[in-house]
Amino acid sequence: MPSHDMNSFQTVLRSSKHIIAIAGAGLSVASGIPTFRGAGGLWRKYDAMSLATPGSFRRDPSLVWQFYHYRREVALKAMPNPAHLALASFSLPQTRALIAPDSTFTLITQNVDGLSARASQQVQSAQPQFLDVPDDTQTKLLEMHGRLFDVRCTSAKCGHTEFNTTSPICASLAGTELAIAAGDADHAIPVVDLPRCSECGALARPGVVWFEEVPLHLDVIENLVDQADLCLVVGTSSTLYPAAGYASEVQEHGGTVAVFNLEHSAGDEEADFLFLGPCEETLPKALGLTSVLYS
Ligand code: BV8
Ligand code: ZN
């Protein structure tokens, strides 16, 4: 049975040396980003997951681009919340030195909204007096399912990828982000008017990892999972693989697992610690960062 005792969790945290966090859609709920389950799981009359496949894009790139354009527009208006900021602060060696001395930390997120990266920039810039400390947070955030604002060429010969936060990403998608209700019609946008590669002009696609596609950074992640002695599982239903398998791997080699979720999620009865509630409240507290974030 998992413990709900925050003090004994912080005792484990203090003595942990190789810490990872696995995050999901629940991390960004407080920032206004819908999850993949429940009400958030639907966009127009479509199941969000059914649109995130190579097959859907092949069959109807206009529809899939309208789906991702909508998510880009939502993410552009969103701000990192206290859970993002807590994880970003904990990524800073100088902050972690006070909470878990001589430890390493990596955030492995399934989210493609870019809010964890923005939180890192935010906490970095808020720490000018430490500028002389080497900035290694880059490797401290692994977006294993890609990024909404990466745009990739579909031509295998070219493969050009660029980070593009242009809004709208192209004229033909302008306004389509307003049509999200189940009954709203799909505009059939001609493929020539969809986002094109800025290098070769071929059709471009969102730089995210679709179902049946191999996630990013798998080798680095598997290494981190093998080394980890503490795994924080934050705001994920733990139903999507390979991400959903990492926590039990950490436990198998004697590591500790702590789950932070609004409600029960797959496998949480096996966890060592379980903190039910909004992670934007529970995580800053658990990481002892409440004062840092709200000062
Ligand atoms: C692959 C990017 C081959 C695109 C995404 C083994 C067994 C069974 C199936 C498989 C398997 N291995 C692979 C599969 C197939 C598939 C899979 O797992 N299917 C599932 C459905 C069974 N996996 C794949 O296809 C993967 N690719 O396998 O390639 C391969 C792999 C390895 C090596 C060689 C070959 C990868 C697929 C990646 C798909 N792309 N995203 C896009 O975003 O559009 S997945 C996408 O859905 C997200 O990234 C995320 O991963 C997933 C959604 O899950 P969550 O983030 O957990 O969100 P969810 O809504 O489910 O839950 C939210 C939770 O938050 C809830 O529990 C809720 O209670 C909680 N919550 C809400 N509010 C709060 C909160 N918690 C705290 N605070 C709050 N305030
Ligand atoms: Zn190209």
Side-chain angles (χ1 to χ4, degrees):
M1 268 297 288
S3 154
H4 309 300
D5 177 45
M6 195 60 92
N7 293 335
S8 39
F9 166 74
Q10 288 174 335
T11 306
V12 171
L13 179 64
R14 228 180 339 274
S15 61
S16 298
K17 297 304 176 219
H18 300 289
I19 308 168
I20 61 172
I22 312 288
L27 174 63
S28 295
V29 163
S31 300
I33 310 277
T35 66
F36 279 74
R37 247 140 251 285
L42 278 185
W43 172 77
R44 297 185 187 167
K45 57 179 175 289
Y46 303 96
D47 159 22
M49 292 220 182
S50 68
L51 294 169
T53 67
S56 298
F57 190 71
R58 253 193 319 279
R59 280 187 300 277
D60 192 341
S62 159
L63 180 67
V64 172
W65 258 119
Q66 289 174 59
F67 173 54
Y68 282 97
H69 166 66
Y70 158 70
R71 294 175 61 190
R72 288 169 56 96
E73 296 299 311
V74 170
L76 281 170
K77 295 188 190 68
M79 294 298 294
N81 66 58
H84 295 112
L85 296 169
L87 290 168
S89 301
F90 194 66
S91 292
L92 296 175
Q94 58 271 24
T95 307
R96 221 173 38 256
L98 311 169
I99 303 159
D102 328 318
S103 65
T104 64
F105 174 67
T106 303
L107 169 58
I108 301 162
T109 187
Q110 299 168 76
N111 300 346
V112 296
D113 54 37
L115 291 175
S116 285
R118 285 169 54 192
S120 289
Q121 284 140 19
Q122 212 169 310
V123 297
Q124 278 282 323
S125 54
Q127 313 256 345
Q129 73 275 18
F130 289 107
L131 277 179
D132 58 355
V133 171
D135 163 11
D136 65 347
T137 50
Q138 297 324 309
T139 57
K140 295 302 175 204
L141 170 63
L142 297 172
E143 295 162 300
M144 71 179 294
H145 291 165
R147 306 191 295 186
L148 265 180
F149 298 105
D150 272 350
V151 176
R152 196 163 74 230
C153 181
T154 57
S155 138
K157 279 201 313 308
C158 171
H160 172 71
T161 297
E162 64 188 36
F163 190 72
N164 172 330
T165 56
T166 316
S167 169
I169 186 167
C170 67
S172 65
L173 286 165
T176 64
E177 72 277 4
L178 303 172
I180 58 173
D184 287 343
D186 307 326
H187 315 283
I189 300 171
V191 174
V192 289
D193 298 335
L194 289 173
R196 313 300 297 187
C197 170
S198 60
E199 290 286 316
C200 75
L203 175 64
R205 58 164 280 180
V208 297
V209 177
W210 282 329
F211 286 86
E212 305 124 31
E213 293 185 328
V214 179
L216 308 176
H217 317 298
L218 281 186
D219 45 359
V220 179
I221 292 172
E222 265 132 31
N223 235 343
L224 290 163
V225 167
D226 293 348
Q227 307 295 324
D229 54 8
L230 177 59
C231 177
L232 312 179
V233 180
V234 182
T236 180
S237 57
S238 295
T239 54
L240 205 287
Y241 289 81
Y246 296 143
S248 49
E249 280 182 50
V250 170
Q251 237 173 4
E252 271 146 33
H253 64 243
T256 299
V257 170
V259 173
F260 298 82
N261 209 58
L262 188 66
E263 59 200 3
H264 281 293
S265 53
D268 71 4
E269 67 288 346
E270 307 299 324
D272 305 288
F273 294 95
L274 174 60
F275 301 109
L276 291 178
C279 62
E280 60 273 17
E281 290 165 19
T282 56
L283 204 55
K285 236 187 259 114
L287 297 178
L289 290 168
T290 317
S291 56
V292 173
L293 294 177
Y294 299 120
S295 58

